[in-house]
Amino acid sequence: AAIPLEISSSGIAFQNKTGMPLTSVTLAILPYGPGGEFTRRLSRVENTIKREVPLGEFRGRDGTPLNLRVTRPKSVRLQAEDATGKKYEVEVPWK
């Protein structure tokens, strides 16, 4: 995979293996049932860089922080674009 995603008890980690810098990176935690996703945006991630985003940095559309006691995550999705405009999307189930 060009962008492997790893879920841990403390955060979501990914590594840019696309060969180009990624821009407009959005990580989203998608819950079961109704309710919006919890997202974290990153402006730029250089090639070969591994980033871990702590779960505490994810926010709902209204600014509500992610609370795993209230929200049951179904999956994690990463959407990004490289400098040439190529789009990437990776989704993995929550573990």
Side-chain angles (χ1 to χ4, degrees):
I3 309 172
L5 278 174
E6 299 171 20
I7 302 168
S8 72
S9 60
S10 61
I12 311 296
F14 68 95
Q15 185 172 8
N16 178 6
K17 295 183 177 181
T18 63
M20 307 251 333
L22 294 174
T23 58
S24 305
V25 178
T26 301
L27 277 168
I29 297 174
L30 310 168
Y32 281 99
E37 54 192 44
F38 293 84
T39 60
R40 173 69 164 88
R41 289 183 171 76
L42 304 167
S43 58
R44 185 176 174 98
V45 178
E46 296 296 331
N47 186 39
T48 72
I49 297 297
K50 185 170 185 175
R51 294 283 306 263
E52 180 165 354
V53 179
L55 294 178
E57 292 185 10
F58 286 85
R59 299 279 185 262
R61 186 170 285 161
D62 62 355
T64 306
L66 173 67
N67 182 344
L68 292 178
R69 293 184 183 140
V70 176
T71 303
R72 186 170 154 235
K74 178 173 67 172
S75 62
V76 176
R77 182 180 63 219
L78 180 142
Q79 294 175 311
E81 193 173 314
D82 68 19
T84 65
K86 182 177 178 183
K87 295 184 185 303
Y88 296 88
E89 184 168 333
V90 181
E91 189 168 335
V92 296
W94 186 268
K95 295 179 182 175

